Amino acid sequence: MNQSPVAMPSPIDPTFQDNPHAIYDPLRATEPIFHDTKLNRVVLTRAKDVGEVLNDRETLADPRKSLPDAYARRVFRVDENFRPNMLRMDDPDHKRVRSAVVKVFNQVSVDAMKGRIEQLANAILNPLTDRSSFDLIEEFARPFPVTVIAELLGVGNDSLADFMQWSVALSQVFNPMATPQELVDLAWGQQHLKDYFRRVVDERRARRGTDFISSLITAEEKGQLTEWEVLSTCELLLFAGNVTTTDLIGNGLLALLQHPEQMEKLRANSALLPGAVEEMLRYDSPITVTSRVSAETTRIDGCPFHAGQTISSMLDAANHDPALHENPHAFDIERENKRHYSFGGGAHFCVGAPLARAEAEIAFSLLLKRFPKLALDPSRPPVRKIAATFRGFSSLWVTV
Ligand code: HEM
């Protein structure tokens, strides 16, 4: 590992966000295992190293196991009250909670819901058909996934506007550079989400249904989950189940609009859609980084680590590694090699990947069918949202 005087830009630096690969490409070529002394973490940009860390069963996710000054403590805001949800748990707890979740939330349940997901998407798109322009994020990419995940969890339709507001506030959850106001909003969103699921879980305990939350409560009664695990999993699914897919739809549509020849190919052949969604995920990943805590045994490319260091795997950099993909910065929906790290990998591989893929395929299929003249609105350029870890737009105006 090299100790370098070069500093990575702040994750929310606007120039870096405009083109992160201008930083990652030279870094990968010269210092692929980079000691970011400013933030006290190790930054990985090669696909093979990212794959190695994510698949290493000894490397840890729980930031409480970090050294006192490690970056993971800052990014996950570890204090004496910190309790990990599934995303930051290690085995054996992680395995136990994850298996309770995937028992009911999996490819089969998503396949069974596809018709309903399409109905929900159509209902949101119907009022837009008469418009000449609209903000894709505000009017479709944000309400669509939140409506789907709320229905999947069996929670109130009347709370969708609240869910969206809380989720926007929660987008700063992994931003160690959040402003004081963003931190106030974050705490507000977290508290509301917590209170909401506390109420719903109590109600559902008394009146059990066939929904996802009821099944978690049943697992709790059988001693397979604790109450904290039920509540924190509901909160995680609601949040992770919407912002990320909003960003996939926004980033993916922008890529198509900026590459009209790819858009034409997709319009001409709908069989290309699943591959196009994988390329959207690879090309402009909605989640850009995930961090781990090194164990005594952790080695990357043969390089040993002290226990407790933060290892940041840059998923977007790995996706654009020329050792993984030829011509990695090209957007090519017919790319044969579909490999990417946008859903992570190993034990914490995204539980929602089947749902995100289904939603994106349905979204793009309907957008392209309904709007044959879809284009960027030249009078209102896309506005990137300022966040760390989550990459997407706060507005993306299109003309139809
Ligand atoms: C395009 C959409 C999505 C992207 C890019 C994405 C990305 C990711 C990534 C990178 C991870 C791994 C994080 C880590 O290793 O630290 C992850 C985990 C997770 N995702 Fe997603 N996600 C998406 C959609 C969803 C959806 C729709 C849901 C739920 C409905 C969801 C729920 C989760 C959960 C619960 C985990 C934690 C899994 C574990 O710790 O075992 N995600 N996601």
Side-chain angles (χ1 to χ4, degrees):
M1 181 180 14
N2 292 305
Q3 295 279 337
S4 166
V6 180
M8 281 272 299
S10 148
I12 54 166
D13 178 306
T15 315
F16 174 61
Q17 292 217 343
D18 270 352
N19 182 11
H21 302 295
I23 299 290
Y24 289 145
D25 287 350
L27 197 62
R28 191 190 301 104
T30 56
E31 297 191 51
I33 301 173
F34 175 73
H35 197 172
D36 179 0
T37 46
K38 207 164 162 194
L39 294 182
N40 203 8
R41 61 178 178 168
V42 174
V43 170
L44 304 181
T45 44
R46 280 193 306 216
K48 78 178 190 62
D49 298 335
V50 166
E52 197 176 332
V53 166
L54 296 181
N55 286 302
D56 177 6
R57 294 277 165 163
E58 307 278 315
T59 300
L60 305 158
D62 186 339
R64 293 174 303 179
K65 297 168 185 167
S66 302
L67 291 166
D69 54 351
Y71 179 66
R73 287 187 183 269
R74 280 181 67 198
V75 82
F76 300 118
R77 302 176 206 288
V78 177
D79 59 19
E80 61 287 358
N81 300 318
F82 177 89
R83 292 178 81 182
N85 60 20
M86 173 167 71
L87 194 59
R88 303 265 64 90
M89 278 177 191
D90 291 314
D91 285 345
D93 292 341
H94 175 258
K95 201 178 245 166
R96 179 174 48 73
V97 176
R98 186 171 167 116
S99 67
V101 171
V102 296
K103 220 181 261 170
V104 278
F105 186 69
N106 50 39
Q107 186 72 58
V108 176
S109 55
V110 169
D111 286 346
M113 204 194 168
K114 272 189 184 159
R116 179 65 185 146
I117 296 176
E118 188 162 340
Q119 262 179 4
L120 294 170
N122 272 317
I124 297 168
L125 288 171
N126 282 341
L128 301 177
T129 314
D130 300 331
R131 302 263 297 274
S132 58
S133 68
F134 58 86
D135 178 358
L136 178 95
I137 301 293
E138 189 68 29
E139 307 208 47
F140 177 65
R142 199 174 282 144
F144 170 48
V146 85
T147 309
V148 174
I149 190 68
E151 180 148 326
L152 221 144
L153 293 176
V155 291
N157 246 333
D158 46 351
S159 306
L160 295 179
D162 287 335
F163 293 158
M164 284 188 273
Q165 262 195 307
W166 302 340
S167 299
V168 169
L170 258 75
S171 296
Q172 300 303 332
V173 68
F174 301 136
N175 180 4
M177 281 88 186
T179 63
Q181 186 56 52
E182 285 167 342
L183 290 176
V184 169
D185 294 346
L186 171 62
W188 168 85
Q190 283 174 321
Q191 193 58 50
H192 277 286
L193 198 59
K194 219 175 257 320
D195 294 346
Y196 181 86
F197 278 110
R198 155 66 61 202
R199 234 180 9 256
V200 170
V201 166
D202 285 347
E203 282 164 16
R204 213 59 60 90
R205 230 185 267 291
R207 216 162 11 92
R208 207 69 54 85
T210 53
D211 58 281
F212 178 80
I213 296 179
S214 295
S215 72
L216 291 186
I217 295 171
T218 304
E220 182 196 344
E221 280 176 359
K222 289 183 184 159
Q224 293 161 356
L225 294 176
T226 65
E227 184 181 47
W228 157 259
E229 288 162 353
V230 172
L231 291 168
S232 64
T233 300
C234 292
E235 292 164 26
L236 174 64
L237 285 174
L238 183 89
F239 173 61
N242 80 88
V243 277
T244 48
T245 311
T246 299
D247 291 340
L248 170 57
I249 295 171
N251 298 355
L253 187 70
L254 182 65
L256 280 177
L257 293 172
Q258 288 176 332
H259 299 84
E261 76 298 346
Q262 301 292 316
M263 174 74 100
E264 279 321 301
K265 275 188 200 170
L266 188 55
R267 283 193 185 281
N269 181 5
S270 61
L272 296 177
L273 193 49
V277 168
E278 294 312 303
E279 178 64 352
M280 291 168 193
L281 282 159
R282 183 200 72 83
Y283 180 74
D284 198 2
S285 179
I287 300 275
T288 56
V289 52
T290 181
S291 292
R292 291 288 184 272
V293 180
S294 55
E296 298 281 354
T297 52
T298 303
R299 300 245 175 311
I300 301 171
D301 199 33
C303 174
F305 281 72
H306 305 295
Q309 285 183 278
T310 301
I311 305 174
S312 290
S313 290
M314 300 305 181
L315 306 175
D316 49 354
N319 289 346
H320 284 244
D321 182 346
L324 182 66
H325 288 289
E326 241 174 70
N327 208 1
H329 302 322
F331 179 65
D332 175 5
I333 63 169
E334 291 180 291
R335 198 178 276 282
E336 243 170 65
N337 174 6
K338 310 270 187 252
R339 187 82 187 88
H340 63 72
Y341 289 91
S342 301
F343 289 127
H348 291 271
F349 182 84
C350 178
V351 161
L355 179 62
R357 286 177 165 133
E359 287 180 337
E361 284 180 31
I362 289 167
F364 285 102
S365 156
L366 295 179
L367 285 169
L368 266 54
K369 229 179 272 163
R370 279 174 172 253
F371 305 114
K373 292 186 181 153
L374 200 55
L376 280 175
D377 184 339
S379 65
R380 282 179 274 217
V383 179
R384 188 166 285 293
K385 78 176 168 195
I386 308 295
T389 304
F390 302 105
R391 179 173 170 83
F393 291 89
S394 50
S395 79
L396 186 64
W397 278 84
V398 290
T399 57
V400 292

